[in-house]
Coordinates of all heavy atoms in Angstrom, one line a residue:
G1246 N 0.0 -9.7 11.7 CA 0.5 -11.0 11.9 C 2.0 -11.0 12.1 O 2.5 -10.4 12.9
I1247 N 2.7 -11.8 11.2 CA 4.2 -11.9 11.3 C 5.0 -10.7 10.8 O 6.2 -10.7 10.9 CB 4.7 -13.2 10.6 CG1 4.5 -13.1 9.1 CG2 4.0 -14.4 11.2 CD1 5.2 -14.2 8.3
C1248 N 4.3 -9.7 10.3 CA 5.0 -8.5 9.9 C 5.9 -7.9 11.0 O 5.4 -7.7 12.1 CB 4.1 -7.4 9.4 SG 3.2 -7.7 7.9
A1249 N 7.1 -7.7 10.7 CA 8.0 -6.9 11.7 C 7.5 -5.5 11.7 O 6.9 -5.0 10.8 CB 9.4 -7.0 11.2
Q1250 N 7.9 -4.8 12.8 CA 7.5 -3.5 13.0 C 8.7 -2.6 13.2 O 9.7 -3.0 13.7 CB 6.6 -3.4 14.3 CG 5.4 -4.3 14.2 CD 4.9 -4.6 15.6 OE1 4.7 -3.7 16.4 NE2 4.9 -5.9 15.9
P1251 N 8.6 -1.3 12.8 CA 9.6 -0.3 13.1 C 9.7 -0.1 14.6 O 8.7 -0.3 15.3 CB 9.2 0.9 12.4 CG 8.1 0.5 11.4 CD 7.5 -0.7 12.0
P1252 N 10.8 0.3 15.1 CA 12.1 0.4 14.4 C 12.8 -0.9 14.2 O 12.9 -1.7 15.2 CB 12.9 1.4 15.3 CG 12.4 1.1 16.7 CD 10.9 0.7 16.5
H1253 N 13.3 -1.1 13.1 CA 14.1 -2.3 12.8 C 15.1 -2.0 11.7 O 14.7 -1.4 10.7 CB 13.2 -3.5 12.3 CG 13.9 -4.8 12.3 ND1 14.9 -5.1 11.4 CD2 13.8 -5.9 13.1 CE1 15.3 -6.3 11.6 NE2 14.7 -6.8 12.7
K1254 N 16.4 -2.3 11.9 CA 17.4 -1.9 10.9 C 17.1 -2.4 9.5 O 17.4 -1.7 8.5 CB 18.8 -2.3 11.4 CG 19.1 -3.8 11.4 CD 20.5 -4.1 11.8 CE 20.8 -5.6 11.9 NZ 21.0 -6.2 10.6
D1255 N 16.6 -3.6 9.3 CA 16.3 -4.1 7.9 C 15.1 -3.4 7.3 O 15.1 -3.2 6.1 CB 16.1 -5.6 7.9 CG 17.4 -6.3 8.2 OD1 18.5 -5.7 7.9 OD2 17.4 -7.4 8.7
I1256 N 14.2 -2.9 8.1 CA 13.1 -2.1 7.5 C 13.6 -0.7 7.2 O 13.4 -0.2 6.1 CB 11.9 -2.0 8.5 CG1 11.2 -3.4 8.7 CG2 10.9 -1.0 8.0 CD1 10.1 -3.4 9.8
S1257 N 14.4 -0.2 8.1 CA 14.9 1.2 7.9 C 15.8 1.2 6.6 O 15.9 2.3 6.0 CB 15.7 1.6 9.1 OG 14.9 1.7 10.2
K1258 N 16.6 0.2 6.4 CA 17.5 0.1 5.2 C 16.8 0.4 3.9 O 17.3 1.1 3.1 CB 18.2 -1.2 5.2 CG 19.3 -1.3 4.2 CD 20.2 -2.6 4.3 CE 19.4 -3.9 4.4 NZ 20.2 -5.1 4.4
T1259 N 15.6 -0.1 3.7 CA 14.9 0.2 2.5 C 13.9 1.3 2.6 O 13.5 1.9 1.6 CB 14.2 -1.1 2.0 OG1 13.4 -1.7 3.0 CG2 15.2 -2.1 1.4
A1260 N 13.4 1.6 3.8 CA 12.4 2.6 4.0 C 13.0 4.0 3.9 O 12.3 5.0 3.5 CB 11.7 2.5 5.4
L1261 N 14.3 4.1 4.2 CA 15.0 5.4 4.1 C 14.3 6.6 4.8 O 14.2 7.6 4.2 CB 15.3 5.8 2.6 CG 16.2 4.8 1.9 CD1 16.4 5.3 0.4 CD2 17.6 4.8 2.5
G1262 N 13.8 6.3 6.0 CA 13.2 7.3 6.8 C 11.7 7.4 6.7 O 11.0 8.1 7.4
A1263 N 11.1 6.6 5.8 CA 9.6 6.7 5.6 C 8.9 6.2 6.8 O 7.7 6.5 7.0 CB 9.2 5.9 4.3
T1264 N 9.5 5.4 7.7 CA 8.8 5.0 8.9 C 8.6 6.1 9.8 O 7.7 6.0 10.8 CB 9.6 3.9 9.6 OG1 10.9 4.4 9.9 CG2 9.7 2.6 8.8
E1265 N 9.2 7.2 9.6 CA 9.0 8.4 10.4 C 7.9 9.3 9.9 O 7.2 10.0 10.6 CB 10.3 9.3 10.5 CG 11.5 8.6 11.0 CD 11.3 8.0 12.4 OE1 10.7 8.8 13.3 OE2 11.7 6.9 12.7

Side-chain angles (χ1 to χ4, degrees):
I1247 66 169
C1248 289
Q1250 303 156 57
H1253 193 289
K1254 68 179 177 77
D1255 289 333
I1256 294 173
S1257 297
K1258 185 168 54 174
T1259 49
L1261 294 178
T1264 56
E1265 302 303 316

